[in-house]
Amino acid sequence: MEEGEDVSPPTQPSMSVVKLIELVLPKDAIYLAGSCVQGQADYVHKTKTFPVAGKDEAGSQPEPYWEPGSGRLPSTFASKIGHVFYYVQASCVGREHILAKKRIYLLVQGTSDFHRENPLQKPLFVEAEKKVSYNCCSQGAIGLQIQMEKNRFTPGEKVVFTTEVSNQTGKCIKTVIFALYAHVQYWGFTPKAEQRSRVDSSALLRQEANTQIAPFNTAKIISTFGLPPVLSVSSDMASSKIMSTQYELVGTVHLPWSLTCVKAKVPIVIARTPPDSDGCQPQEGAGALAREDCQD
C-alpha cells in the first residue's frame, strides 16, 4: 500500500423515502371551466445511506402549481350510464420510480354563452286543464297554472314560482307535487361504427305541497327550489357531440279518485357565464388537506 492512498470504504448507494405528501386546495371549491387551479404540494423527504444509518431531513417543502383548464369542459357529472370526474394529482418522482403520489377530486362547473346570446328574459306562464270524471257520472275540470319571473338560472340559484290550482269538481285536492327533471341524451357508436342515442331522465329535486283545496275553489302556492351547486349546462346536440342536457319543471296534481292527473311543464335553462380574463386568480377559502404516508 502506497503512502497517501485513500483506503476509505466505497460510497454506499442512497435511497430516498417520501414519508408524507399533501395537496392543499381551497375547501369545497367549485372551479369554472376555463379557470385555473392553484394550490401547493407539500412533502416530507428523507434520505438514507446504507448500511450506515442516514440523516433524516424532515420538513415541509412547498411546490406551487398552476393548471389552466379548457373553457369547454363539461360539468362534473354522474349517472347510471356514465360519469365525468376531474382530479389534481401530485407525484414525487425519483431517478428510477415514483416515490409517492396523491390525488384530489375537483368539482368543475361547465360554462356556456347562453347569457350573451340571450341577454333578455321574460316572465313565463304555462297552464294546463283537464276534464275529469268522478263518482261514476259526475264531471268537472281541474286547472293548473305555473308562473315564473324568468326561466334561466345558474347552478346554486333559487328557483321561485307561483302555482294556481282551480278545482271545479266536488272532490278535495290534497297534494300538488313539483319536480325538476334533467333529460340527458347520449350519443355513441357501436363496435360496427353505427351511431346510437339514448335518453335518460331523472328527478333532481322534488317537493310536495299539502294543499287541501276544497271543491269548487282555487288556491295559490308559492314554491322555492334551491338548485344544486354543480349542474350540466343546458345544451343541444349541435353544441355537444357526446351528450346534451335539458331541464323542465313539472307540476302535477294527482287525482286518486279519478285515476288520472293534471301536469304542467315549464322548460328551464341552466347556464353559466365563462370566467373573465382574471379567472386565474387564486380562490379564497380554507385549504382542503389530503394526506398519504408513502415509503419506498
Side-chain angles (χ1 to χ4, degrees):
M1 179 181 298
E2 298 181 3
E3 185 178 355
E5 183 178 353
D6 186 5
V7 294
S8 59
T11 303
Q12 299 294 329
S14 62
M15 183 180 76
S16 295
V17 178
V18 177
K19 297 291 293 182
L20 175 68
I21 184 170
E22 300 175 349
L23 288 177
V24 183
L25 294 173
K27 186 178 181 180
D28 300 326
I30 297 174
Y31 295 90
L32 290 180
S35 64
C36 297
V37 179
Q38 291 182 293
Q40 68 180 31
D42 294 345
Y43 66 93
V44 178
H45 182 263
K46 178 188 292 185
T47 300
K48 289 185 179 180
T49 302
F50 299 94
V52 181
K55 178 182 179 182
D56 292 347
E57 296 179 357
S60 178
Q61 302 181 23
E63 289 288 338
Y65 58 84
W66 180 86
E67 294 290 341
S70 168
R72 290 301 180 185
L73 293 176
S75 300
T76 300
F77 170 81
S79 74
K80 59 184 179 182
I81 296 179
H83 65 262
V84 177
F85 292 153
Y86 299 92
Y87 63 85
V88 172
Q89 180 170 292
S91 301
C92 293
V93 182
R95 294 182 179 180
E96 299 179 355
H97 50 267
I98 297 176
L99 301 176
K101 64 181 178 181
K102 183 63 180 180
R103 69 174 55 170
I104 290 182
Y105 285 88
L106 304 178
L107 291 176
V108 174
Q109 173 60 55
T111 61
S112 66
D113 295 323
F114 189 90
H115 285 83
R116 297 172 181 174
E117 298 171 356
N118 304 272
L120 299 178
Q121 293 205 70
K122 298 180 180 179
L124 196 65
F125 178 82
V126 175
E127 64 178 338
E129 185 177 87
K130 178 181 285 189
K131 292 183 179 180
V132 297
S133 300
Y134 59 97
N135 293 344
C136 295
C137 56
S138 300
Q139 289 188 334
I142 303 293
L144 177 61
Q145 301 176 351
I146 299 178
Q147 185 173 3
M148 309 175 71
E149 292 298 320
K150 61 176 185 177
N151 73 324
R152 186 179 70 210
F153 302 91
T154 58
E157 190 176 356
K158 289 185 178 181
V159 179
V160 181
F161 55 96
T162 301
T163 304
E164 183 174 294
V165 181
S166 175
N167 180 14
Q168 300 303 314
T169 70
K171 292 286 188 175
C172 179
I173 297 177
K174 297 182 178 181
T175 58
V176 180
I177 297 176
F178 304 101
L180 178 65
Y181 286 90
H183 306 294
V184 184
Q185 184 174 17
Y186 301 89
W187 288 90
F189 292 88
T190 67
K192 296 182 179 180
E194 298 173 340
Q195 192 174 36
R196 294 286 186 269
S197 66
R198 179 176 177 178
V199 177
D200 177 49
S201 299
S202 59
L204 301 179
L205 301 168
R206 190 177 185 275
Q207 190 177 98
E208 183 174 317
N210 295 319
T211 55
Q212 300 297 328
I213 303 175
F216 303 101
N217 208 335
T218 300
K220 281 189 176 183
I221 307 167
I222 299 178
S223 306
T224 302
F225 272 149
L227 293 176
V230 177
L231 286 171
S232 297
V233 294
S234 298
S235 60
D236 52 30
M237 295 310 300
S239 58
S240 177
K241 298 180 180 180
I242 299 177
M243 56 181 282
S244 63
T245 307
Q246 296 180 343
Y247 299 89
E248 66 177 355
L249 174 67
V250 180
T252 305
V253 179
H254 288 282
L255 308 172
W257 37 264
S258 184
L259 300 179
T260 187
C261 64
V262 182
K263 290 187 177 183
K265 301 180 179 181
V266 183
I268 299 294
V269 176
I270 301 297
R272 187 64 169 90
T273 305
D276 297 328
S277 58
D278 61 348
C280 289
Q281 297 298 322
Q283 301 190 29
E284 297 181 356
L289 203 60
R291 297 173 173 266
E292 179 175 84
D293 289 329
C294 301
Q295 204 166 6
D296 186 26

